[in-house]
Amino acid sequence: MTASLTSTRRGLFGLAAGFAALSLADTAQAAPKRGGKLVYGRYADSLFLDPVLNDANVDIWVINSVYDTLLLPTADGLGVQEGLASKWAFSDGGKTLTLTVRSGVKFADGSPLKISDVKWSLDRARDPKAGAWNDMIASIDAVDIAGPDSIVLKLKTPDPTILAALATFNTSIMSQALFEAAPGATPDDKAKAFAEKPIGTGPFMLVEWRRNQVMRLVRNPHYWRMAEDGKPLPYVDELELQIIPDDNTRILKLKAGELHGSEFIPLARVKELQADASLRMELWPSTKVTYLSMMVKPTLTDGKPNPLANQKVRQALNYAVNKDAVIAITTLGLGKPMRSFMSSTTPLFDGPAPLYPYDLAKAKALLAEAGFSGGFEVSCMTVAGNQDNLNNLTTVQQMWAAIGVKLKIEQMDNPSLTKKYRAEDFQMRTAAWTNDISDPGQITSYFAYGPNIHALHSGWDDKRLDEVFLASQQETDPAKRRAQYQEIQKIFADAATIVPLYETPYTVAWRKNVSGFVQIPLGNNYFVGAAIG
Amino acid sequence: MPRLGWLVGRLLQIVPTFLLIGIAVFVLARLLPGDAVSAMLGDRASDATINRLTAELGLNRSLGAQLLAFLTAAAQGDFGASLSRHVPVMRLVAEALPVTLSLVAIATTLALAIALPLAFIAALNANRWPDIAIRAVFQVGLSSPVFYIGLILLTVFAGWLGWFPVGGYGESVSEHLYHLFLPGLTLSLSFAAVVMRNLRAAVLAVLTAEYVDFARAKGLARSVVLLRHVLRNALIATVTLVGLHVGALLGGAVITETVFAVPGVGRLMIDSIFARDYPVIQALTLVLAVLVSLAFLVTDFVQMWLDPRVGR
């Protein structure tokens, strides 16, 4: 977090108690101006703006501009706060969750939000046949309407992740009537039509979408949230999201004043933009972690033995990487070393000490113990054209040469890499991860829990970890769950099935006259509190 | 009449060409390693989700069944829906195609406007300083990568001088032209270099032809000799070159559109290849094949007009 950020955090959550600590620094500021068109440069266009059926961050990260969820994530990514629901309470030993939905909320077309819309949206989101995200609310057994403003979730088991799930994009509340009025014979057809011009209760509504060029959103005149001055949010009248895939062009456009803001500033350009008096460079804490993952089965698909099956070999490779040097070279010092497989912005993160501090002697000793004192060759696949990953690998390549390990770099396009990864036909791969939900359950189920995707398709499985993880998914005592996650993170770190490299922030640059934008650690962009001037 | 028969023959050749291209692109798209569903869902999806979506998209049918369905639908102009964007493919193509056609038209116009006069100046001053200077400058244009030229033009003329917008496409026709000038110029430079060198060589060759000597001997004015006899005959090879180069321009548009944030078919194609969005890849390839075939046809017509011996 940079100091410059404190001035940007006024709008979105300023009204919420959960965000009070983060907005203290701004209380002395003048009220933001209203009106105007905010123009923001994105690196890629959205694909399918359906909360349930989307597959990609380009959708997830803007869907909250159009839709609301019952709860909202806090800006630090660690908790939830009021959204469309103003109150919530657990009962029945954590197996019943009752939420009170605000009255008087309207969709952007002026139609009222009904409690039946809430039930319909949650039922649609938890349908096991719909989309890729229904697992996140698989604990819901039934959604019942308990009154005109009351919804009751009956859970199969107590679920400590359910509140975070109700603040996640796929549980966005949609209008059943508007959805069903969309053209199309089947629900899938209607979803496609509705996603072209979605109408939600969120701060903006999409009025024009020229693919690969621009999305134009105007303020929702019926938006329910009020700013600190008692007037409705959002501050700007219009939000224009321009699609500019080339980083240099996006930055040039920002400097020329054709954009107010731009996302994904390359780390190599951050210092330059920090020095530009007309701009403000924001570094938002993220859940993004960059690492090398390993396949640890004893035999490779070509029948050859896999040295990475040996835990000591994996630990040796970890000790032989000077993470600070990698961070200096690739992120120009803007990253920080990972201390767990999950980012430090993830709830229940536990990283008491650096993971495998650089120690060549220890690395050599471990290799010798494992019977590989003469070294070996290992291959790592990476997406062609990704310069950061290539920098990481060429740096690691030199470091591993010092312990006799020859790293072969295999560049390929992403679908090819994904196919080999899913088939577990690889030795190592470069990878990065961001959480979709403010809870450690998701990342743990992918990285460490064997039965889901074989712990990042490594083939590694630890029965004790699996057992603790399953227990943690039903543990509602925060202290006990924290202890469970401490154990999970320790077991995983010892197993060394990844080479953790670094965490990096989201890089967003703004013209100096814009304030109030928020990007939460999950990546979601909040323009609701942004103002010009 | 021989000409009419030749023309009909040329038109008929296009039909099997399209069929072969259709089959080839269908097969090639599926020969790409990786698959659409993995590309769409990334590396997080469970096997169950992958299998369900594969079935929903009809990608679990045999390749033969998929090919037959594709060819039958394509013959009726139906290319299905984009796998990643969930909108009809032809809508995406219809939105992007005019943008790229405009870009290619501007690039071609600029290339010819630059290359034709300079080729003549170079040829008429062969091996003297104007010729050497022109060739040297164009050598740089020919050897510089398109994205590099684009970035320089963008930085200087849009970023520093502010004469042009920094990328984008604009809203109105005049804005479109304004926005497309720099990308058009970028795309035109290497093409202009090729045309200039080709036309210079052709002019030099024609200048030594007997019919030019004869025209001069008849006492025709120098301008008449140059325009009516030299230019017309030298252009025959250049027209062929321009026609053949349309495909290269469409290829160059991929990079230019990315650098200048132009929402054309080049960017759509790249995005679709990375997403393994087969219906879009197939439709775009076919549409581009039609365009290149039409460009070749137009080239034949113009050649026939310039040189009546063609088609006899």
Side-chain angles (χ1 to χ4, degrees):
Chain A
M1 175 69 54
T2 59
S4 65
L5 266 191
T6 50
S7 64
T8 69
R9 293 179 152 173
R10 174 190 49 247
L12 168 64
F13 301 107
L15 64 163
F19 195 59
L22 288 160
S23 59
L24 281 179
D26 309 316
T27 49
Q29 287 209 343
K33 285 186 185 166
R34 289 181 174 272
K37 178 167 85 171
L38 187 74
V39 186
Y40 188 67
R42 298 178 71 196
Y43 81 103
D45 198 3
S46 293
L47 298 169
F48 189 27
L49 288 179
D50 185 293
V52 174
L53 304 178
N54 71 76
D55 308 308
N57 282 344
V58 285
D59 299 319
I60 295 168
W61 291 7
V62 296
I63 233 162
N64 60 293
S65 287
V66 176
Y67 290 107
D68 279 316
T69 40
L70 289 173
L71 304 175
L72 292 171
T74 52
D76 62 3
L78 298 174
V80 295
Q81 58 182 323
E82 294 175 18
L84 287 176
S86 55
K87 281 190 286 188
W88 60 94
F90 285 100
S91 58
D92 188 21
K95 286 178 71 178
T96 300
L97 172 61
T98 305
L99 299 113
T100 305
V101 178
R102 278 169 209 285
S103 57
V105 175
K106 289 180 177 173
F107 290 100
D109 71 332
S111 60
L113 168 71
K114 292 186 279 195
I115 198 73
S116 56
D117 292 321
V118 177
K119 174 178 164 52
W120 179 82
S121 298
L122 294 180
D123 281 340
R124 180 173 185 259
R126 71 192 184 92
D127 179 354
K129 293 194 286 296
W133 310 106
N134 50 68
D135 277 358
M136 292 201 282
I137 49 170
S139 65
I140 300 177
D141 194 30
V143 180
D144 296 332
I145 295 172
D149 62 352
S150 181
I151 198 93
V152 176
L153 306 188
K154 294 275 173 54
L155 305 181
K156 294 167 191 162
T157 55
D159 180 0
T161 72
I162 190 66
L163 293 181
L166 294 177
T168 303
F169 61 90
N170 66 317
T171 59
S172 295
I173 304 303
M174 304 168 76
S175 162
Q176 181 181 5
L178 292 175
F179 182 92
E180 287 177 350
T186 66
D188 271 356
D189 291 341
K190 288 178 185 296
K192 286 171 190 170
F194 195 67
E196 285 289 288
K197 214 167 180 180
I199 294 172
T201 60
F204 295 96
M205 56 181 173
L206 183 63
V207 291
E208 187 183 15
W209 186 359
R210 276 175 275 151
R211 297 273 174 169
N212 267 341
Q213 188 181 355
V214 69
M215 290 172 91
R216 207 160 62 78
L217 301 100
V218 297
R219 69 191 304 274
N220 170 4
H222 306 287
Y223 191 52
W224 55 276
R225 271 194 287 179
M226 298 293 148
E228 288 165 342
D229 59 6
K231 294 177 186 166
L233 287 167
Y235 292 108
V236 295
D237 291 333
E238 193 175 330
L239 172 63
E240 186 172 295
L241 303 176
Q242 289 192 6
I243 314 305
I244 306 150
D246 187 84
D247 294 336
N248 293 310
T249 310
R250 246 181 7 261
I251 292 172
L252 266 177
K253 229 169 159 56
L254 178 70
K255 287 185 163 184
E258 294 178 25
L259 295 176
H260 287 111
S262 171
E263 66 178 0
F264 285 106
I265 302 297
L267 296 172
R269 303 286 299 270
V270 165
K271 285 204 167 72
E272 170 201 338
L273 299 200
Q274 279 173 333
D276 189 322
S278 64
L279 303 177
R280 188 183 59 257
M281 189 67 233
E282 296 181 348
L283 303 175
W284 291 97
S286 84
T287 54
K288 184 176 179 186
V289 287
T290 301
Y291 55 94
L292 310 178
S293 77
M294 305 187 205
M295 204 286 289
V296 305
K297 289 190 212 167
T299 312
L300 301 172
T301 47
D302 61 5
K304 290 181 183 161
N306 181 13
L308 302 182
N310 189 315
Q311 182 185 4
K312 286 181 179 167
V313 169
R314 302 195 299 266
Q315 290 177 335
L317 293 179
N318 263 286
Y319 278 119
V321 174
N322 183 341
K323 278 96 172 176
D324 291 330
V326 175
I327 289 168
I329 289 167
T330 304
T331 77
L332 303 170
L334 293 166
K336 64 177 186 178
M338 289 168 67
R339 286 190 162 209
S340 164
F341 64 91
M342 60 182 77
S343 70
S344 55
T345 51
T346 306
L348 305 182
F349 157 83
D350 183 54
L355 282 176
Y356 299 100
Y358 183 50
D359 190 336
L360 267 187
K362 207 163 182 174
K364 284 178 183 167
L366 281 164
L367 273 193
E369 280 176 41
F372 286 98
S373 49
F376 57 88
E377 184 177 287
V378 64
S379 66
C380 184
M381 47 184 199
T382 187
V383 176
N386 185 319
Q387 196 54 47
D388 285 353
N389 282 342
L390 206 54
N391 284 345
N392 291 338
L393 283 185
T394 48
T395 310
V396 168
Q397 193 176 44
Q398 291 180 38
M399 292 167 178
W400 283 350
I403 56 169
V405 173
K406 190 178 172 193
L407 175 64
K408 193 173 138 200
I409 300 170
E410 293 179 338
Q411 296 193 59
M412 59 192 79
D413 76 343
N414 200 36
S416 309
L417 186 144
T418 303
K419 186 177 184 186
K420 287 172 85 71
Y421 169 64
R422 292 183 59 81
E424 293 169 13
D425 177 18
F426 70 106
Q427 263 190 302
M428 298 187 75
R429 66 157 195 154
T430 57
W433 170 280
T434 50
N435 297 344
D436 296 303
I437 181 170
S438 288
D439 186 86
Q442 185 197 29
I443 186 171
T444 306
S445 73
Y446 283 90
F447 275 59
Y449 177 63
N452 186 19
I453 59 160
H454 308 156
L456 294 179
H457 293 293
S458 66
W460 177 78
D461 195 4
D462 184 278
K463 296 301 170 205
R464 171 65 190 162
L465 189 149
D466 294 348
E467 188 184 302
V468 177
F469 174 69
L470 286 178
S472 77
Q473 289 296 85
Q474 297 181 23
E475 181 54 70
T476 52
D477 180 331
K480 285 183 185 165
R481 195 162 188 248
R482 177 168 294 283
Q484 288 166 332
Y485 266 97
Q486 281 174 343
E487 185 177 353
I488 287 171
Q489 288 169 85
K490 185 175 183 320
I491 295 172
F492 189 81
D494 289 343
T497 60
I498 65 169
V499 179
L501 295 176
Y502 50 76
E503 298 181 27
T504 39
Y506 300 125
T507 50
V508 184
W510 289 98
R511 303 291 303 176
K512 270 273 166 65
N513 62 340
V514 179
S515 62
F517 167 83
V518 171
Q519 186 165 18
I520 65 170
L522 301 179
N524 307 32
N525 294 284
Y526 284 91
F527 297 98
V528 63
I532 308 165
Chain B
M1 282 316 284
R3 281 188 174 200
L4 185 64
W6 175 81
L7 278 177
V8 172
R10 285 288 289 112
L11 284 169
L12 285 177
Q13 279 172 14
I14 290 179
V15 177
T17 305
F18 289 167
L19 183 66
L20 284 175
I21 289 171
I23 295 170
V25 74
F26 178 90
V27 174
L28 286 173
R30 278 151 185 84
L31 282 179
L32 288 170
D35 61 89
V37 177
S38 291
M40 284 164 72
L41 297 178
D43 49 24
R44 300 188 184 188
S46 65
D47 287 343
T49 309
I50 295 261
N51 293 339
R52 181 168 46 76
L53 191 60
T54 303
E56 272 175 30
L57 297 173
L59 298 173
N60 57 346
R61 291 177 295 169
S62 70
L63 273 187
Q66 289 183 55
L67 175 61
L68 190 64
F70 162 64
L71 290 176
T72 311
Q76 300 165 45
D78 175 11
F79 288 90
S82 157
L83 300 182
S84 58
R85 298 174 181 82
H86 305 275
V87 293
V89 168
M90 287 319 283
R91 205 186 91 193
L92 291 172
V93 175
E95 282 171 1
L97 192 59
V99 181
T100 300
L101 289 182
S102 308
L103 179 61
V104 169
I106 288 172
T108 307
T109 308
L110 286 172
L112 294 177
I114 294 166
L116 292 185
L118 292 178
F120 257 82
I121 292 169
L124 297 176
N125 296 281
N127 299 321
R128 293 202 294 271
W129 73 263
D131 177 35
I132 293 167
I134 289 169
R135 279 194 290 157
V137 169
F138 274 91
Q139 191 60 37
V140 175
L142 195 58
S143 54
S144 302
V146 171
F147 73 90
Y148 186 63
I149 294 176
L151 268 181
I152 289 175
L153 291 179
L154 202 58
T155 306
V156 174
F157 293 104
W160 294 352
L161 298 173
W163 292 354
F164 294 94
V166 187
Y169 185 54
E171 309 264 333
S172 60
V173 173
S174 58
E175 280 189 18
H176 295 337
L177 291 174
Y178 185 37
H179 280 78
L180 288 180
F181 184 82
L182 279 186
L185 185 62
T186 303
L187 200 53
S188 74
L189 288 180
S190 61
F191 183 33
V194 174
V195 173
M196 196 285 294
R197 293 182 72 89
N198 181 276
L199 188 58
R200 174 187 173 276
V203 169
L204 282 175
V206 173
L207 280 172
T208 58
E210 285 182 3
Y211 57 83
V212 173
D213 289 341
F214 183 69
R216 283 187 187 128
K218 279 200 299 185
L220 291 177
R222 180 179 159 84
S223 59
V224 174
V225 172
L226 287 178
L227 285 175
R228 191 181 298 167
H229 296 280
V230 177
L231 178 64
R232 181 165 180 158
N233 286 289
L235 272 181
I236 294 171
T238 305
V239 165
T240 310
L241 188 71
V242 171
L244 290 174
H245 217 81
V246 167
L249 279 181
L250 288 168
V254 172
I255 299 165
T256 314
E257 287 175 2
T258 302
V259 172
F260 287 90
V262 175
V265 293
R267 259 175 69 195
L268 185 60
M269 181 67 112
I270 285 289
D271 291 347
S272 304
I273 289 172
F274 284 142
R276 299 292 189 266
D277 198 335
Y278 302 134
V280 183
I281 298 172
Q282 286 159 188
L284 275 181
T285 312
L286 267 179
V287 167
L288 293 179
V290 170
L291 286 177
V292 171
S293 298
L294 287 176
F296 288 176
L297 200 62
V298 171
T299 306
D300 288 345
F301 282 133
V302 176
Q303 266 190 333
M304 202 165 65
W305 174 70
L306 287 169
D307 184 356
R309 288 169 300 180
V310 174
R312 279 189 183 151

